[in-house]
Amino acid sequence: MLLYRALTLLVRPWVRRISGVCCPLTENRALLRLRGQDTTTFLQGLITNDVERLQEGGALYAHLLNVQGRTLGDVIMYRSSKEQNGLSDVILECDLSAVELIQKHMKVYNFRRKIDISPCPELSVWAVISSQNCQDPQEEKNADPVLCTPDPRVAVMGWRLLTETGANPLNLLPKTHMGSFKEYSKHRYEQGVPEGVCDLPPGVALPLESNLVYMNGISFDKGCYIGQELTARTHHTGVIRKRLLPVQLSSPVPADTKEADIFTKSGKSAGKYRAGEGGIGLALLRLAHVNEELNIKTPGNESITVKPSIPQWWPKNN
């Protein structure tokens, strides 16, 4: 008997055709299980996206915000197959170091609700950096109970896969080969996709500056949720002066350097470096300075050149 009936791994032909690199995320990402009759209503008041869009076997990206409208954590949610009692679990993926913060935040608002929120150690999460178009045929996707789904953020991030802990994903995806979390992080930074507390500091990052709209992570017509007011007002004014951008560095930023300041050649503040892998990373930059010569001054007075770029997956009218 499977440890987790709601995620029956019946592999359909389109899943077996997926090729690419399968990277383990469990050491850096955590899974929480939400179960109860009020789960959808509960989440609807907490996250930026519309939970009604989350279908069985699918995934949805969103942020949890504080009352000031700043990001507490980024999450990917999965809806499992319905169980015998008619309830449908939601599996919530988040940064491992943000679990306590997110659980505490949810506990504050989990009153008069019948929601059970618990760790989900029986499942593991994987990222599949696919060498093919990740949009599978819609009719096959909806009919398949396997929780192997396109990454809900952007197509260049490939697939997300949930398996039983200890299972070998290569048995499910025979055309893939095993990768590492470092490979996944490098790919993510190259594509300019933020994830976790290093890229999105809790209580600091703003969702629209973090490209939440571009990553299909927000609904502006779903109704009220915590932190909505500032986010909606910023969106409707259309004024976003800073954004997270992928950057190439002339040399890696020292590991002990946090939120390094980025300056123009003339010494004007252009933004802050967030995190990266080797010579690539993410920086929150003022859009007015992205075409200028930029650099970071390290504590050792070394100058690191910063070269930002616009991701190809961004909408062309950004």
Side-chain angles (χ1 to χ4, degrees):
M1 180 180 292
L2 291 177
L3 294 176
Y4 200 78
R5 294 182 181 179
L7 300 176
T8 307
L9 295 175
L10 301 175
V11 182
R12 301 220 177 224
W14 67 263
V15 174
R16 290 191 174 277
R17 289 197 299 267
I18 297 173
S19 60
V21 183
C22 193
C23 303
L25 306 184
T26 303
E27 291 185 5
N28 301 83
R29 305 286 286 176
L31 296 173
L32 296 173
R33 179 179 63 196
L34 282 71
R35 175 180 293 175
Q37 294 180 345
D38 298 327
T39 298
T40 297
T41 304
F42 173 64
L43 286 172
Q44 196 76 306
L46 289 182
I47 67 168
T48 57
N49 217 332
D50 187 352
V51 187
E52 298 292 343
R53 297 176 181 173
L54 181 57
Q55 299 180 354
E56 288 183 26
L60 190 73
Y61 178 62
H63 282 195
L64 290 159
L65 309 181
N66 62 17
V67 293
Q68 289 80 31
R70 294 183 180 271
T71 296
L72 285 178
D74 61 313
V75 298
I76 297 178
M77 293 165 292
Y78 310 89
R79 191 181 292 280
S80 68
S81 302
K82 287 187 177 179
E83 298 192 351
Q84 294 179 357
N85 59 7
L87 299 181
S88 181
D89 290 358
V90 171
I91 308 299
L92 186 147
E93 175 196 330
C94 63
D95 191 299
L96 183 60
S97 61
V99 170
E100 185 176 349
L101 176 63
I102 288 175
Q103 285 183 307
K104 182 178 179 180
H105 180 69
M106 288 186 167
K107 185 177 180 180
V108 170
Y109 296 98
N110 188 17
F111 57 91
R112 297 181 182 177
R113 304 279 187 188
K114 296 181 179 180
I115 311 295
D116 177 68
I117 304 171
S118 59
C120 196
E122 64 268 33
L123 296 177
S124 295
V125 60
W126 306 76
V128 184
I129 304 171
S130 181
S131 58
Q132 65 188 67
N133 189 329
C134 79
Q135 298 301 320
D136 56 283
Q138 188 67 31
E139 64 276 8
E140 289 188 310
K141 175 184 174 183
N142 288 341
D144 201 310
V146 176
L147 227 165
C148 178
T149 181
D151 190 301
R153 296 170 295 186
V154 289
V156 294
M157 290 306 299
W159 301 76
R160 265 318 202 255
L161 172 68
L162 298 186
T163 69
E164 286 187 293
T165 297
N168 185 347
L170 303 190
N171 293 334
L172 302 172
L173 307 176
K175 291 190 176 182
T176 64
H177 61 275
M178 192 65 73
S180 65
F181 183 77
K182 186 174 182 179
E183 287 178 82
Y184 168 74
S185 296
K186 183 175 183 294
H187 174 75
R188 188 169 58 75
Y189 285 127
E190 287 174 343
Q191 301 300 330
V193 177
E195 182 180 282
V197 299
C198 291
D199 302 342
L200 304 165
V204 175
L206 288 167
L208 300 190
E209 291 182 350
S210 305
N211 305 319
L212 191 61
V213 177
Y214 296 170
M215 294 191 293
N216 306 304
I218 191 167
S219 169
F220 292 105
D221 55 14
K222 72 162 199 165
C224 297
Y225 57 90
I226 304 300
Q228 176 202 21
E229 185 176 354
L230 175 63
T231 306
R233 184 167 66 246
T234 303
H235 172 72
H236 291 300
T237 60
V239 181
I240 302 175
R241 294 185 174 87
K242 294 183 288 184
R243 285 192 181 273
L244 275 181
L245 289 165
V247 292
Q248 290 185 334
L249 309 172
S250 58
S251 61
V253 174
D256 58 350
T257 303
K258 303 292 185 182
E259 290 276 307
D261 292 316
I262 299 175
F263 298 95
T264 65
K265 187 177 181 180
S266 61
K268 292 182 180 179
S269 175
K272 287 183 178 292
Y273 178 76
R274 282 277 173 83
E277 186 69 50
I280 56 175
L282 286 173
L284 182 67
L285 295 173
R286 298 181 186 278
L287 297 177
H289 297 310
V290 296
N291 294 320
E292 299 182 38
E293 184 178 325
L294 305 176
N295 62 79
I296 294 171
K297 294 291 186 183
T298 68
N301 206 31
E302 176 190 0
S303 180
I304 299 175
T305 301
V306 179
K307 184 178 180 181
S309 60
I310 303 298
Q312 292 185 353
W313 53 267
W314 277 23
K316 300 304 178 185
N317 58 345
N318 62 80

